[in-house]
Amino acid sequence: MQSITFPDGTRVPAIGQGTWHMGEQPSERKREVAALRQGLELGLTLIDTAEMYAEGGAEEVVGDAIAGLREQVFLVSKVYPWNASRKGTALACERSLKRLGTDHLDLYLLHWRGEHPLEETVEAFERLREQGKIARWGVSNLDLDDLHELPAGCAANQVLYNPEARGIEFDLLPFQQQQGIPLMAYCPVGQGGSLLRNEAIREVARRHQASSAQVALAWALRQQGVIVIPKAVDPLHLKQNAEAHKLQLSADDLALIDESFPPPRRKRPLEML
């Protein structure tokens, strides 16, 4: 499995597991838990979740999935921006840890920027790190100007990135690559299926006898320092995700995708979902 290195030298798989929309339907819980465990068996040992997802429900699903397997998992969660004060961050983290059934997170992110100053949130993160409740901290949905406001120590930035949303290639992604800050790509296969039905993506998939989702993941993974976190519950999709790193897109493949999804030629507002 292709791996990515965090600033402190910790290595994680470049393909992880997302959990957005998990925990919303009680009838799906067993299936979601089984999927996350299958992903771990396939080497997708980074699991990303958030207190926002199903208002803690996704964290509870993850907690069930990693019970007895915590040492195998690189666990990521996020704090709501309105909880990201000095006191609120600590309380939110405690709630997340309880739902996850663990005593620490490997990475704790600010979900997006809100009313609390970044320096206040970072101060709370550093306090949690000193207490051993998080190993490192980072951010999500922050653009380049926001990153410039952060003090040293940011371990990652999680943003929307796929062929339909590639504005970050103009400035944010190059900056993070230069600084050695991993970029976590959420929704790397898009949302709603339109990306996967795109004719260029489908043509490249046919060339490689691969799925459209594998092409989208390989497209993101071509970039240095990118971690993709697709959500999958179907066993076949999980296997395909785990194999996506083996797909090497050619210059012709990339040119064809560029025709449908041109790279940015100027600064664009950061896209978010």
Side-chain angles (χ1 to χ4, degrees):
M1 173 70 70
Q2 182 178 335
S3 63
I4 300 298
T5 304
F6 278 93
D8 63 4
T10 301
R11 298 182 71 83
V12 300
I15 305 173
Q17 301 187 76
T19 62
W20 193 12
H21 298 307
M22 286 190 179
E24 295 178 354
Q25 301 294 332
S27 60
E28 288 291 298
R29 191 179 186 113
K30 288 184 179 179
R31 188 164 171 254
E32 291 166 349
V33 168
L36 290 171
R37 287 181 176 167
Q38 180 189 353
L40 294 178
E41 293 173 359
L42 292 169
L44 309 180
T45 55
L46 184 153
I47 297 179
D48 175 83
T49 190
E51 67 172 339
M52 184 190 85
Y53 302 162
E55 292 299 324
E59 290 180 323
E60 292 175 349
V61 170
V62 173
D64 286 352
I66 68 175
L69 303 170
R70 177 65 182 91
E71 68 282 357
Q72 300 179 26
V73 181
F74 187 95
L75 188 56
V76 185
S77 193
K78 310 180 201 68
V79 59
Y80 268 130
W82 47 84
N83 286 337
S85 63
R86 289 182 183 86
K87 183 178 180 180
T89 300
L91 293 173
C93 184
E94 288 291 349
R95 293 192 294 269
S96 289
L97 292 176
K98 183 177 181 180
R99 288 188 289 261
L100 290 161
T102 185
D103 62 357
H104 74 284
L105 296 170
D106 296 291
L107 177 63
Y108 199 28
L109 307 177
L110 171 64
H111 209 147
W112 66 90
R113 189 167 187 172
E115 62 184 28
H116 297 292
L118 290 177
E119 61 182 17
E120 183 175 338
T121 304
V122 171
E123 183 179 319
F125 282 157
E126 286 291 352
R127 191 170 302 163
L128 288 168
R129 189 177 61 80
E130 291 167 2
Q131 294 169 351
K133 294 179 180 179
I134 66 173
R136 52 193 67 78
W137 60 268
V139 294
S140 179
N141 294 304
L142 262 63
D143 207 347
L144 185 56
D145 288 345
D146 301 308
L147 292 190
H148 283 314
E149 292 184 38
L150 292 173
C154 179
N157 184 22
Q158 183 178 130
V159 297
L160 177 66
Y161 183 49
N162 60 52
E164 292 178 317
R166 58 188 300 186
I168 64 169
E169 291 178 353
F170 184 79
D171 56 356
L172 179 61
L173 178 57
F175 173 80
Q176 291 193 217
Q177 290 171 330
Q178 180 184 27
Q179 298 297 314
I181 301 173
L183 185 138
M184 300 179 69
Y186 71 80
C187 292
V189 299
Q191 192 179 47
S194 61
L195 172 63
L196 302 185
R197 293 191 297 269
N198 174 266
E199 188 51 42
I201 298 292
R202 294 172 67 182
E203 170 58 25
V204 174
R206 285 192 288 268
R207 292 175 182 177
H208 293 272
Q209 296 184 324
S211 70
S212 292
Q214 286 177 311
V215 171
L217 294 176
W219 179 89
L221 292 172
R222 83 197 190 286
Q223 293 280 8
Q224 171 194 339
V226 170
I227 301 165
V228 293
I229 46 171
K231 178 220 170 187
V233 177
D234 181 274
L236 176 59
H237 292 165
L238 278 161
K239 292 177 182 178
Q240 291 174 337
N241 289 349
E243 295 292 317
H245 68 101
K246 297 179 180 179
L247 181 58
Q248 299 295 316
L249 302 182
S250 69
D252 286 344
D253 295 333
L254 295 174
L256 183 60
I257 294 172
D258 284 350
E259 289 179 12
S260 284
F261 307 104
R265 297 182 180 277
R266 57 180 174 77
K267 173 69 177 176
R268 297 180 185 171
L270 184 68
E271 297 181 68
M272 296 173 54
L273 290 177

